Amino acid sequence: MPTPPGLARALFDRLRRSVALVVLILISVLYTNCRMTEKTTETTNKTTPQTANDPVAVHRRAIAIDMHADTPQRLLDENVDLAQRLSDGHFDSVRAREGGLDAQFFSIWVEPQLFGAGGPGAMKRADDQIAAVHALAERHPETWEFATTAADIRRIASEEKLAALTGLEGGYAIDEKIENVERYYKLGVRYMSPAWTESLSWAGSSGDEAGKTRGLNDFGRAVVREMNRLGMMVDVSHVSDKTFWDVVNNSTKPVIATHSGCRAITNVPRNLTDDMIQAIARTGGVVNVIFYPEHLEPGWSEKKKKVDGQIASEVQRASDEEKGDVAHKKLARDRVRREEFAKRLPPVMVSRLVDHIDHVVKLVGVDHVGIGSDFDGVQSTLSDLADISQLPNLTRELLRRGYSESDVDKILGGNMLRVMEANEK
Ligand SMILES: [Zn+2]
């Protein structure tokens, strides 16, 4: 049956409208796809050059955590104002910002020869330094905030401020009383190394004769348990080999070295053997590589000892002529050593530091390495990482060697955030 002419026109019109609609939809789909491709290309163009080629941009995006600086002594003994750019030392707020730092663990260091390996003198020295770090944050809330957790660091970094944290270098201030571990935890301390260069009754040091045979005794093991319970990280930098093994075999939480290097490269007692690095990784912990040439450059320690012998009388004279207290006499000695080391010892570059990072990564992977400068605690530095403002030079060298942006994030602070979180649980 033929279609009546009126009906045919109506059908034809409908068909035309449908075709037009389909064409419109097709055009719009094609257009959107083009726009999306353009947008993707735009985004890639915007980020690729910065992430892949610009170390400074990579560095700024990462959360950088330095696990060890001895600046609190300067706050106490020299009354320095960290808000100013200081003409000496390795650390202040201005240079920390320039260096893209986000969090600093300040070392609460009690020199046992000067303040006692226990007792009220050691406790007071520790308490005063902790108070000085709290005061820094209170006096400069626009720059600093006292922090104790990984979440604190993330938040403070997002507010573009610096997080100030504390760790005890040597357990002298706990004065052989288990309850003092919690006392220091409550004051904000979040790591402790059992010993500095002098052994205690309960833990051996890598720096003296007693440490050669001393590990943790029952009290020492109780201290590790108490630190695990509270969420205070155990630091194995400075402890004797025997104490190291007692710590990793007793700790139920990830263990850290806050400022050490690799003995396979530089054979000094302060550094970690490959077995030790593997043991730290098995706990889930992190080796934070020190920036100090003595622990990084093979043979440097022997050269430094020789120079120390040559300048001994000069150092002694500076100490005798200083009329201040014991801390000021130490400052006078350090000043001479710093000047003479700079003149007499060969320069060491950041690439040597990255050799140690590479070594840890080859042994145990990129999840178990971090950084611990020891700034303001040493009389010699790397030539191109001579203070905290030059921290981006480390990132530059890591990228040059082929580390990815996510690797750099982990090395600069991401790994330590993970370990802090694991210890906080
Ligand atoms: Zn140290």
Side-chain angles (χ1 to χ4, degrees):
M1 196 167 67
T3 312
L7 188 59
R9 172 160 300 156
L11 275 173
F12 179 73
D13 281 350
R14 246 172 102 179
L15 188 67
R16 217 173 45 186
R17 279 199 300 273
S18 299
V19 168
L21 192 67
V22 168
V23 168
L24 260 174
I25 288 169
L26 270 172
I27 288 172
S28 105
V29 164
L30 277 170
Y31 179 75
T32 315
N33 272 346
C34 284
R35 287 295 304 154
M36 279 173 72
T37 320
E38 262 174 46
K39 206 176 168 196
T40 321
T41 322
E42 262 173 34
T43 323
T44 319
N45 283 344
K46 247 180 216 163
T47 53
T48 306
Q50 285 184 346
T51 50
N53 303 326
D54 183 359
V56 174
V58 173
H59 186 84
R60 301 261 159 213
R61 259 195 301 280
I63 292 183
I65 307 172
D66 177 12
M67 288 307 295
H68 197 96
D70 280 296
T71 316
Q73 301 150 56
R74 301 205 74 196
L75 294 171
L76 281 189
D77 303 331
E78 300 173 72
N79 203 22
V80 293
D81 178 9
L82 290 189
Q84 313 289 320
R85 178 190 295 277
L86 300 171
S87 59
D88 60 354
H90 314 133
F91 190 96
D92 54 58
S93 313
V94 182
R95 286 182 285 174
R97 281 207 186 276
E98 282 174 7
L101 187 75
D102 294 289
Q104 182 63 57
F105 270 88
F106 288 111
S107 163
I108 306 304
W109 175 58
V110 173
E111 152 64 284
Q113 302 253 317
L114 304 183
F115 302 97
M123 289 185 77
K124 185 180 183 311
R125 181 68 174 170
D127 292 3
D128 288 350
Q129 289 177 75
I130 297 165
V133 177
H134 279 284
L136 167 71
E138 280 152 24
R139 249 175 248 145
H140 302 289
E142 72 290 352
T143 308
W144 290 99
E145 189 174 326
F146 195 91
T148 55
T149 65
D152 283 348
I153 293 177
R154 290 185 203 277
R155 177 182 50 77
I156 294 165
S158 76
E159 292 165 7
E160 306 206 325
K161 291 196 289 182
L162 295 163
L165 300 101
T166 52
L168 272 173
E169 183 167 25
Y172 312 108
I174 68 165
D175 194 27
E176 297 196 27
K177 293 181 184 75
I178 198 78
E179 62 271 24
N180 280 337
V181 180
E182 186 162 5
R183 180 179 180 276
Y184 282 105
Y185 177 86
K186 285 182 174 161
L187 289 172
V189 172
R190 285 299 177 270
Y191 74 68
M192 179 171 78
S193 61
W196 182 63
T197 58
E198 209 165 283
S199 296
L200 303 91
S201 66
W202 54 275
S205 162
S206 64
D208 63 6
E209 277 302 304
K212 289 190 174 132
T213 51
R214 194 170 298 171
L216 294 175
N217 66 4
D218 286 345
F219 178 76
R221 284 189 289 275
V223 169
V224 169
R225 277 197 299 278
E226 178 68 349
M227 291 172 76
N228 286 163
R229 182 185 75 81
L230 292 163
M232 189 190 281
M233 294 178 284
V234 189
D235 173 15
V236 292
S237 287
H238 283 291
V239 301
S240 67
D241 289 8
K242 208 161 181 303
T243 301
F244 173 93
W245 290 107
D246 285 345
V247 167
V248 293
N249 291 330
N250 282 279
S251 179
T252 56
K253 302 265 180 80
V255 168
I256 55 172
T258 60
H259 57 307
S260 292
C262 305
R263 229 181 270 182
I265 300 175
T266 310
N267 187 13
V268 295
R270 269 281 281 108
N271 282 349
L272 302 160
T273 65
D274 289 358
D275 284 350
M276 289 172 169
I277 293 164
Q278 282 160 339
I280 289 175
R282 278 198 298 275
T283 71
V286 167
V287 174
N288 293 280
V289 179
I290 192 169
F291 299 180
Y292 183 35
E294 179 166 6
H295 300 341
L296 297 177
E297 180 73 11
W300 205 91
S301 183
E302 290 77 11
K303 289 184 186 128
K304 192 196 85 167
K305 273 188 200 112
K306 213 169 140 195
V307 172
D308 261 331
Q310 291 162 349
I311 63 173
S313 59
E314 210 178 321
V315 170
Q316 190 55 48
R317 190 164 54 244
S319 189
D320 294 342
E321 282 169 6
E322 166 61 48
K323 296 285 169 264
D325 62 10
V326 284
H328 283 84
K329 283 182 180 294
K330 182 184 178 299
L331 283 172
R333 292 194 295 273
D334 286 349
R335 201 176 308 120
V336 176
R337 294 177 80 219
R338 193 167 54 240
E339 286 163 10
E340 294 303 319
F341 289 169
K343 273 186 256 170
R344 298 170 187 236
L345 287 164
V348 185
M349 311 300 279
V350 75
S351 62
R352 180 59 84 192
L353 159 61
V354 179
D355 290 345
H356 286 252
I357 292 176
D358 279 350
H359 187 77
V360 177
V361 172
K362 275 180 200 128
L363 273 179
V364 294
V366 77
D367 292 333
H368 301 285
V369 65
I371 53 169
S373 69
D374 212 4
F375 278 147
D376 283 341
V378 288
Q379 282 79 53
S380 185
T381 61
L382 298 169
S383 302
D384 49 355
L385 186 40
D387 68 21
I388 196 69
S389 73
Q390 295 183 322
L391 199 56
N393 287 346
L394 169 60
T395 298
R396 187 170 287 114
E397 178 64 10
L398 289 169
L399 292 169
R400 196 186 69 77
R401 292 205 193 183
Y403 284 94
S404 69
E405 178 166 1
S406 104
D407 292 340
V408 171
D409 281 352
K410 287 177 178 183
I411 296 165
L412 289 182
N415 288 332
M416 272 315 306
L417 289 171
R418 182 197 75 229
V419 169
M420 287 180 75
E421 277 158 1
N423 270 270
E424 287 160 15
K425 272 180 204 153

